[in-house]
C-alpha cells in the first residue's frame, strides 16, 4: 500500500473519468453523421492536449528533474500513440454505426486482451484462474457480437479491435522506465495520435468544414472531456493501487446503457445481456486473482 494512499478520492475521480469518457462518446455519436471518425479523433486529441499539458506541468517530479521533454524510449512512446490512433479510429467508427451501449460494452473486453498480451510483452505467467476468466469474458463477447446470427454485423468487430489496441497501449505503458513521467508518456501519445489522425483525415476524404458554432462547441467539449478523463485517471492511479480501481471500471457498462437509452432511445437488451455480465465477470475475476497474488507476495515479504 502506498504511503499517500487515498483510495476513496481515487475511486471518485475514476468514476468521474468514466462518466466523462461516456459523455465524450455521446458527443462523438452525435457528430458522426457529419464528421468522419478520423476527423473526430483529430479534434479530440487537439483539444485534449490542454489537460495533458496541465497534467505534465503539475507533475512535481518532472519539474524538479529539470522539465525535460525527451524520453529515452521515445520510439516506444510514438508506437503507443500510433496504436491509440487505430484504437480511436475503430471505436469512433463503431459509435456511429452501432448502438452506443453495445459498442461501449464490447470495448470492456480490454482486460481479456491485457491478460493475453502480458505474456509475450511482459513475460508474465498466467495461471488457469486468469485463463478461465479470459474464457468467461470471451464467451460474453461472443454473446454480445452474436456471430452467425441474422443480427450480426462486421461493425461489431470495430470496438473489439479498439479494445485490443487500447490493451496493447496499456501493456506497453508498463515497459517504460520507472522514472519516465506518466504525464509525459501520455503527452507523447496524444501528440502522436493527433498527427496520425490528421494524416488519416488528409488522405482519407479530407476535412469537413465545421457546420456551425454549435458543432464547434460540441467538438471542444469532446476534446476537453476526453483529455480531462485521462488526466483524472492518471491522478487516481497515483493515489492508490490499480487493483482498487479496476472493479469500478465496469460502472461504465450500465452507465453507457442508460445514456444510450436516454439520448438515442436505444435499449439493446437482447444483444447485451447476459453477454455484458460475463464480460464484467471475466474482468472482475482477473482483478480478484491479481489482488490475491499481490497479498500473497506481500505476506511472503513480511
Amino acid at each position: 500500500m502506498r504511503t499517500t494512499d487515498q483510495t476513496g478520492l481515487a475511486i471518485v475521480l475514476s468514476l468521474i473519468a468514466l462518466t466523462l469518457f461516456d459523455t465524450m462518446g455521446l458527443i462523438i455519436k452525435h457528430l458522426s453523421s457529419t464528421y468522419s471518425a478520423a476527423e473526430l479523433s483529430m479534434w479530440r486529441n487537439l483539444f485534449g492536449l490542454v489537460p495533458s499539458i496541465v497534467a505534465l506541468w503539475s507533475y512535481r517530479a518532472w519539474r524538479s528533474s529539470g522539465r525535460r521533454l525527451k524520453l529515452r524510449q521515445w520510439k516506444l512512446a510514438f508506437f503507443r500513440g500510433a496504436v491509440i490512433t487505430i484504437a480511436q479510429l475503430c471505436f469512433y467508427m463503431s459509435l456511429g454505426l452501432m448502438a452506443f451501449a453495445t459498442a461501449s460494452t464490447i470495448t470492456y473486453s480490454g482486460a481479456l486482451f491485457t491478460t493475453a498480451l502480458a505474456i509475450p510483452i511482459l513475460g508474465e505467467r498466467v495461471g488457469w484462474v486468469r485463463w478461465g476468466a479470459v474464457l468467461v469474458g470471451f464467451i460474453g463477447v461472443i454473446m454480445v457480437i452474436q456471430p452467425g446470427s441474422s443480427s450480426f454485423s462486421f461493425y461489431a468487430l470495430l470496438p473489439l479491435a479498439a479494445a485490443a489496441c487500447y490493451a496493447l497501449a496499456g501493456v506497453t505503458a508498463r515497459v517504460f522506465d520507472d522514472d519516465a513521467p506518466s504525464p509525459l508518456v501520455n503527452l507523447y501519445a496524444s501528440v502522436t495520435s493527433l498527427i496520425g489522425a490528421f494524416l488519416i483525415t488528409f488522405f482519407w476524404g479530407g476535412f469537413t468544414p465545421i457546420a456551425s458554432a454549435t458543432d464547434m462547441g460540441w467538438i471542444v467539449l469532446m476534446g476537453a472531456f476526453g483529455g480531462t478523463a485521462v488526466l483524472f485517471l492518471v491522478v487516481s492511479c497515483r493515489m492508490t493501487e490499480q487493483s482498487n480501481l479496476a472493479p469500478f471500471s465496469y460502472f461504465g457498462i450500465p452507465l453507457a446503457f442508460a445514456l444510450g437509452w436516454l439520448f438515442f432511445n436505444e435499449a439493446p437488451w437482447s444483444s447485451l445481456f447476459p453477454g455484458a455480465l460475463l464480460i464484467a465477470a471475466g474482468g472482475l475475476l482477473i482483478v480478484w486473482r491479481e489482488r490475491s497474488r499481490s497479498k500473497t507476495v506481500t505476506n511472503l515479504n513480511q
Side-chain angles (χ1 to χ4, degrees):
M1 187 69 67
R2 301 179 185 186
T3 56
T4 57
D5 190 276
Q6 302 178 61
T7 302
L9 179 58
I11 290 172
V12 171
L13 289 178
S14 67
L15 291 177
I16 293 175
L18 285 172
T19 304
L20 290 174
F21 275 131
D22 275 348
T23 306
M24 179 194 73
L26 289 175
I27 297 174
I28 291 171
K29 187 172 181 65
H30 169 68
L31 295 173
S32 61
S33 60
T34 306
Y35 308 97
S36 70
E39 284 180 285
L40 294 173
S41 175
M42 183 201 69
W43 289 118
R44 178 259 179 270
N45 289 303
L46 177 62
F47 292 106
L49 283 178
V50 176
S52 297
I53 294 172
V54 170
L56 179 61
W57 188 261
S58 60
Y59 188 52
R60 185 180 304 172
W62 175 75
R63 296 201 310 270
S64 62
S65 63
R67 300 174 182 172
R68 293 183 58 189
L69 294 176
K70 184 177 180 180
L71 282 174
R72 186 185 69 82
Q73 298 158 297
W74 59 269
K75 292 181 181 179
L76 177 61
F78 287 139
F79 171 76
R80 286 188 69 252
V83 170
I84 292 173
T85 301
I86 298 172
Q88 289 180 344
L89 184 63
C90 291
F91 183 47
Y92 294 3
M93 287 177 65
S94 71
L95 288 174
L97 298 168
M98 301 172 60
F100 179 75
T102 303
S104 298
T105 297
I106 294 174
T107 62
Y108 280 92
S109 62
L112 315 180
F113 288 107
T114 298
T115 300
L117 290 170
I119 299 173
I121 296 177
L122 302 177
E124 291 188 3
R125 299 180 63 181
V126 178
W128 67 269
V129 174
R130 283 197 288 173
W131 276 125
V134 170
L135 178 60
V136 169
F138 182 72
I139 293 173
V141 171
I142 295 298
M143 294 178 70
V144 173
I145 294 178
Q146 300 179 3
S149 69
S150 58
S151 60
F152 171 73
S153 170
F154 283 101
Y155 297 146
L157 299 180
L158 289 172
L160 192 63
C165 288
Y166 280 130
L168 178 58
V171 171
T172 52
R174 295 164 61 185
V175 180
F176 284 94
D177 297 333
D178 291 339
D179 60 349
S182 296
L184 183 59
V185 172
N186 177 59
L187 184 61
Y188 268 70
S190 297
V191 172
T192 306
S193 299
L194 171 61
I195 296 172
F198 175 86
L199 292 176
I200 292 173
T201 304
F202 184 80
F203 290 106
W204 187 16
F207 296 88
T208 303
I210 304 300
S212 64
T214 301
D215 278 6
M216 190 71 244
W218 284 124
I219 288 171
V220 172
L221 281 177
M222 174 188 67
F225 286 163
T228 303
V230 171
L231 171 59
F232 279 14
L233 283 180
V234 170
V235 173
S236 64
C237 287
R238 290 186 174 277
M239 286 183 169
T240 188
E241 301 296 333
Q242 182 62 31
S243 60
N244 292 331
L245 300 177
F248 295 91
S249 64
Y250 293 96
F251 165 75
I253 293 180
L255 177 62
F257 186 90
L259 292 175
W261 194 356
L262 180 62
F263 289 97
F264 298 106
N265 197 29
E266 299 170 346
W269 289 100
S270 59
S271 62
L272 274 184
F273 299 99
L277 298 178
L278 290 179
I279 293 174
L284 291 173
L285 184 56
I286 291 173
V287 173
W288 171 80
R289 180 56 178 166
E290 286 299 313
R291 296 191 70 171
S292 298
R293 290 178 64 221
S294 177
K295 289 180 180 179
T296 300
V297 172
T298 301
N299 292 334
L300 289 174
N301 291 334
Q302 287 179 346

